[in-house]
Structures are given as structure tokens and as C-alpha cells.
Amino acid sequence: MSGGEAGPPATTVLVLGGGIALGAFGAGACEAVEEQGGADWLLGSSAGALNAAIIAGNPPGQRVEALHRFWSSASADPTPWASFWLGPPPGAGAWRRAHNETAAWQTLLLGRPGLFRHRRSPGETPSLYDLEPLRRRLPEFVDFGRLGAKGAPRLTIVATDVESGDRVVFDTARGARIGPEHLLASCALMPLFPPIEIDGRLLCDGGLASNAPVDLVFAEPSQGPVRCIVTELFARAGQRPRSLAAAAGRAADLAFGNQTWRMIEAGAREHALRARLAQLAAQGPGAAQGNQAPVPPVLDLLLLDYRAGLDEAGPGKPFDFSRATVEERWQAGATAMREGGDRLQARGGGTTLAPGFTLFEMDGGAARPAK
């Protein structure tokens, strides 16, 4: 993406939230971002860290294909016998609801080939599954030698220190050498998956500290305009739950979606303060000598909210790896990003959160309202 006005080109930043199988939505957004020129900086947690590493760990032209291979290998048809006789499941209704719930239960009961399996031994830290299948397969999709190499996008992934609760950030721009163990640590959602020890620290899922670490973007100094795209897999706005399962799913949406929104609010306050300080400096006695506070760069933030459909598997939706659902989530992410990219280019329909800080919000998913 490039800026519409004369001046330095915009830096494109892609923040990818975690959510296990919901990460297919983020993968679709990655495809659309690649179509629009790619990202300069990728940040992610959990499934978002996997998507980000696959993009950063492949050369241009091969990134989307690697993402497709990863998500295709992770998905499956939970009821092949029904699909053989009756065809693919419909987009909505009781049949589709049963299809999605079956897929989620299969994952929980049997694990997911190529990603995780039931724990064969208790180990030092208790967990239901282990991520050894993912560890073995990651080199098929990520060239770890490219991460941090010249010309590759900057990559930042986050994990959480189990003992201190601190967020731990691995950033190739600051010398971090990211390997498979860092990605596994970012995905280690307890008690499902065991935490990973790195450099003497026991680390677990980054989503427990910041599921979509957009605050790292706000804290980064920039000399030019920034276009930041955030995939939020747990939309904070939704419908009233009408069942216990829907209530549990809604609670997860609120817990993670509000986490992201609080970071955006804090970033807007900081942006407004910096703009005010620059204004006061320009009016003060030091302005004649050219002593002015730095003006914060223009920041356009595109928030892509994944809205799960009414027939998704409630609290089990992160475990629904059915091929039909994964493909729908991918397409929803790609569509939302393409339309959001057009809005960013036209800079229309946004909400000004602070001087120079504009929010553009797009809904994606089966629950997306018709236009």
C-alpha cells in the first residue's frame, strides 16, 4: 500500500490476533494484504503468530501459497460419509450447526493431525495435548533463515511468562532469532498445551497478555504515515446469547475483544497527548528557535472484526477445523480486507479518535450484515 499524498510512503503494519482455528480469518486477510503490496511489519500472537511467521518466512509470490498449504493441511471434513451421499453442508441451518459442532468435538476428543495430539506422558507441566506435530511440520511452511533477513518483513511475536505474568516480545528488528520453539510458546494456551521454556523462562500463549498486540505499534517511533491493520477474531460487539453455549462463546468474545479495544483507546489518548504537546510547543517561546515537539505521524487503523455466524460451534468455534468453515473464514477475512483496503485508500467513512488518528472498522464473517 502506498500513501495518496506526496511525502514519505506509508508504513503498512499487520497485527494478527490469535484464536486457534479462527486464525483462518487472519490468513484470508494476509492474502488480501499481499495483493495490495504486502506488509512492512507483522505482529502476532498464537495462531496470528503462525500466520505472521509463514508470511515473513517465505519470499514474495510464495507466501499465500504457503498459507493455503498450512490451513488446508489443518482442515478436514468431519463427516465424509455424509458429504459423500448428501454433498457439502449448507451455509446455515441445523445441518450446518451439527456439522460445525461435530468438527469441534472431533478436535477436542482426537486432537488435530499435523497440529496437536493427546499428551502421551504427563511431563513437567500438565496439559491435555502436546504441540509436537506442529513443531515437526513448521519447517515445511516457514524458512526460519529468512526471519529477520535483509528484505524480509519485520516480525514480532508475543508470549506470556507463566510465573511473572509479563508479556515477552520477540522482535526480529531488535535482534531476536525466532525459531519453532518461539512459535510454539506463543501458541501454548494452558491447560490445553504445555508451556515452552526459552532462555530460562516458562512461556505460554501470547493471547493471555495481548491477543492482538497493537499497542506495540503505538509505542514505535515513526517518521511517516502508518497504516495499521488489526484482525480481531473475537468481536466485542455481538448479539444477546440465547443458550449456555452461546453465553460461553460470547464471554470469550468480550474477554479478548475488549482487551484489544482498551489498547486502541489507550493509543488514541497517547496520540492526542503528543499532538497537544506539539501544538503547545509551536505556540511557545521556543518555537522561534525551532524547538518544537515532534508531531505524531498520521495513523490510519483498520480493525477487521470476525463475526462468528449463529450456526458456529459456540465456545467450541476455535476448534472447528472443518474444511467448509476454514474456507468460509478465509474468504471472510480476504473480503473484509479488500473492502477495508479500499476504504483506507479513499480515507472515507473513518472515525477520528485523536488528531491524525483515524479508525476504520469492518465486519467479516457469516454474521456480516447485508448491504
Side-chain angles (χ1 to χ4, degrees), residues 208-279:
L208 298 177
S210 54
N211 198 48
V214 66
D215 61 312
L216 295 175
V217 181
F218 302 146
E220 186 75 7
S222 178
Q223 301 302 315
V226 177
R227 295 186 175 186
C228 180
I229 300 131
V230 181
T231 63
E232 177 51 71
L233 305 183
F234 298 91
R236 59 191 289 267
Q239 298 180 340
R240 294 184 180 186
R242 301 185 181 279
S243 66
L244 285 176
R250 188 75 195 107
D253 290 343
L254 291 170
F256 289 107
N258 276 325
Q259 179 192 97
T260 302
W261 188 251
R262 295 288 87 82
M263 287 190 283
I264 292 174
E265 288 181 325
R269 288 194 297 270
E270 180 180 346
H271 207 88
L273 177 59
R274 292 169 61 193
R276 180 57 177 160
L277 290 174
Q279 183 184 37

Side-chain angles (χ1 to χ4, degrees), residues 103-112 116 118 128-129 192 315-316 319:
W105 276 110
Q106 279 189 359
T107 299
L108 290 167
L109 292 174
L110 304 176
R112 183 94 297 272
F116 54 89
H118 277 282
L128 294 175
Y129 312 97
L192 297 175
F319 301 95

Side-chain angles (χ1 to χ4, degrees), residues 18-75:
I20 312 180
L22 299 175
F25 178 85
C30 287
E31 177 181 48
V33 170
E34 285 296 305
E35 294 170 356
Q36 298 170 16
D40 304 294
W41 182 14
L42 297 125
L43 303 91
S45 172
S46 196
L50 293 177
N51 285 332
I54 292 172
I55 292 292
N58 282 278
Q62 298 180 27
R63 295 167 176 168
V64 174
E65 187 272 336
L67 271 179
H68 270 294
R69 284 192 292 110
F70 175 79
W71 284 99
S72 178
S73 68
S75 64

